[in-house]
């Protein structure tokens, strides 16, 4: 029997990509059920590339604020949709408030922040049984105690014509040579960023082989892309801060391979079925791996990692500095 689903989505781009595995599983099991996702507006270009999502609902809340009144108003507005099942992916109290006020009949999520009163299907998280973020997301769509099924990988749609339009805006043509995408930023913090000089060495090697090298990143990543551009004497195509998320998705689809920090764009590239070399330092590839067999994960697993800190607490960043450019180049050739 068809019922309408509401998913309260994550705020991070990478986590939203991983959430598509949940969306896919729901649609496999409930093909006639509409699926809405409540998420920050900046994630909506990503949701637009997921065919499983029927509607993206903007979460009009200021990051870091409770916004109790706004959550009540939105919940009341959504009552008319008569949600049969809401799944709350974030673990905060406030994230469970809208489905409660919207009177979703089943409200599923992991326990946390004293939100038992808001969830009527509260689950305890077993981190050993569910080590990956994607496992945890998918498990919330299963019956309690049900074993994880084969998890469908994220798969984003792209548009070559829109990519061409974006390139024309930037006075560039569609590439005639292989393109290496480099993603040197990571919004979480410096402890997730491979040194710019290492990205530059990889870029120089591929430029010498006749490849184009495109640098991807948001406006917050402009210092990182600009540093790589400077170190390569301006020979890359620096897209840092020059594209929207939707445009970046289309342009990433044109790449022949991508080297990236553990970031949202890394997960986007994986979901576009691009060969990805994923660089992990302070984070853990056992927790948030790229969901593609075409990925090569580079991770040293030092005694001090993963620390999950924004900046290296020891001041040396060995987890990334000891990952040399030749390691990434070997992975590209492999």
């Amino acid at each position: 029997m068809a019922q309408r689903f509401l998913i309260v989505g994550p705020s991070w781009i990478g986590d939203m990509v991983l959430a598509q595995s949940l969306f896919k599983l729901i649609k496999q099991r409930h093909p006639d059920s509409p699926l809405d996702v409540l998420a920050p507006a900046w994630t909506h270009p990503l949701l637009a590339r997921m065919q499983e999502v029927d509607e993206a609902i903007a979460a009009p809340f200021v990051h870091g604020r409770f916004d109790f009144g706004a959550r009540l108003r939105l919940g009341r507005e959504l009552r008319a949709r008569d949600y049969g099942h809401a799944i709350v992916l974030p673990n905060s109290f406030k994230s469970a408030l809208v489905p409660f006020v919207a009177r979703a009949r089943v409200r599923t999520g992991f326990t946390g922040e004293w939100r038992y009163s808001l969830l009527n299907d509260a689950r305890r998280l077993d981190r050993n049984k569910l080590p990956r973020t994607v496992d945890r997301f998918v498990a919330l769509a299963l019956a309690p105690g049900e074993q994880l099924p084969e998890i469908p990988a994220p798969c984003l749609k792209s548009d070559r014509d829109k990519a061409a339009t974006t390139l024309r805006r930037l006075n560039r043509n569609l590439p005639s040579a292989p393109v290496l995408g480099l993603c040197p930023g990571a919004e979480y913090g410096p402890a997730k960023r491979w040194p710019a000089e290492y990205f530059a060495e990889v870029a120089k090697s591929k430029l010498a082989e006749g490849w184009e090298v495109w640098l991807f990143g948001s406006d917050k990543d402009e210092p990182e892309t600009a540093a790589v551009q400077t170190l390569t004497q301006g020979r890359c195509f620096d897209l840092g801060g020059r594209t929207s998320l939707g445009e970046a998705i289309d342009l990433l689809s044109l790449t022949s391979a991508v080297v990236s920090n553990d970031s949202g764009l890394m997960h986007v590239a994986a979901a576009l079925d691009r060969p990805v070399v994923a660089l992990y330092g302070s984070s853990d590839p056992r927790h948030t791996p790229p969901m593609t067999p075409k990925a090569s994960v580079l991770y040293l697993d030092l005694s001090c990692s993963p620390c999950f800190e924004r900046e290296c607490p020891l001041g040396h960043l060995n987890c990334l500095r000891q990952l040399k450019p030749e390691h990434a180049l070997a992975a590209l050739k492999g």
Side-chain angles (χ1 to χ4, degrees), residues 17-250:
V17 173
L18 296 176
Q20 191 186 13
S21 294
L22 166 66
F23 308 157
K24 283 178 168 287
L25 182 68
I26 290 172
K27 284 295 190 177
Q28 287 175 4
R29 296 188 172 194
H30 308 275
D32 298 324
S33 294
L35 189 152
D36 299 342
V37 179
L38 172 63
W42 64 79
T43 67
H44 288 198
L46 193 61
L47 294 171
R49 308 309 179 95
M50 300 179 182
Q51 62 182 10
E52 301 79 18
V53 176
D54 291 283
E55 185 173 346
I57 301 170
F61 316 126
V62 177
H63 181 68
R65 286 174 45 183
F66 194 83
D67 281 334
F68 184 74
R71 293 176 195 276
L72 287 181
R73 286 192 295 274
L74 180 58
R76 293 189 187 110
E77 290 172 8
L78 295 178
R79 285 177 186 172
R81 301 194 181 206
D82 189 28
Y83 287 111
H85 196 168
I87 296 176
V88 184
L89 298 185
N91 290 326
S92 63
F93 178 91
K94 62 186 178 183
S95 63
L97 189 58
V98 170
F100 176 80
V101 177
R103 297 175 181 167
R105 290 189 290 281
V106 178
R107 301 181 299 278
T108 303
F110 290 116
T111 56
E113 282 200 1
W114 303 99
R115 58 187 193 169
Y116 289 99
S117 60
L118 302 181
L119 301 173
N120 56 14
D121 179 26
R123 313 281 183 88
R124 290 193 177 277
L125 172 60
D126 187 330
R127 298 178 185 275
N128 293 321
K129 288 185 178 179
L130 302 172
R132 302 182 301 174
T133 295
V134 69
D135 299 334
R136 298 169 189 179
F137 288 171
V138 166
L140 291 174
L142 308 179
E146 182 180 350
Q147 294 295 311
L148 284 175
E150 181 177 349
I151 295 179
C155 181
L156 298 176
K157 298 180 293 183
S158 62
D159 191 318
R160 186 178 177 87
D161 290 337
K162 288 184 178 178
T165 298
T166 299
L167 288 173
R168 284 195 296 272
R169 175 176 67 79
L170 298 171
N171 298 313
R172 193 92 173 191
N173 296 320
L174 285 166
S176 56
V179 175
L180 174 65
L182 298 182
C183 305
E187 186 175 343
Y188 184 76
K192 291 181 73 172
R193 297 180 195 140
W194 206 41
E197 59 267 28
Y198 290 7
F199 275 107
E201 287 303 312
V202 171
K204 290 175 184 177
S205 179
K206 302 311 286 185
L207 288 165
E209 294 176 13
W211 287 47
E212 294 186 25
V213 177
W214 296 1
L215 308 176
F216 290 88
S218 70
D219 53 351
K220 295 178 181 178
D221 300 321
E222 284 186 61
E224 282 69 47
T225 62
V228 178
Q229 181 74 315
T230 297
L231 290 166
T232 55
Q233 295 76 50
R235 291 184 291 154
C236 299
F237 181 28
D238 186 359
L239 293 160
R242 302 176 69 191
T243 62
S244 66
L245 176 57
E247 290 171 334
I249 291 170
D250 290 327

Side-chain angles (χ1 to χ4, degrees), residues 254-320:
L254 301 181
T255 60
S256 303
V258 175
V259 178
S260 177
N261 297 321
D262 174 23
S263 66
L265 286 179
M266 182 273 288
H267 288 288
V268 167
L272 290 167
D273 201 33
R274 298 297 85 201
V276 174
V277 177
L279 305 157
Y280 285 78
S282 64
S283 55
D284 191 343
R286 293 160 295 201
H287 183 53
T288 53
M291 296 287 290
T292 173
K294 293 184 178 181
S296 298
V297 172
L298 301 185
Y299 178 60
L300 295 178
D301 199 15
L302 302 181
S303 60
C304 57
S305 59
C307 67
F308 299 108
E309 298 290 340
R310 294 179 183 269
E311 298 190 22
C312 176
L314 302 177
H316 52 57
L317 199 64
N318 283 346
C319 59
L320 287 173

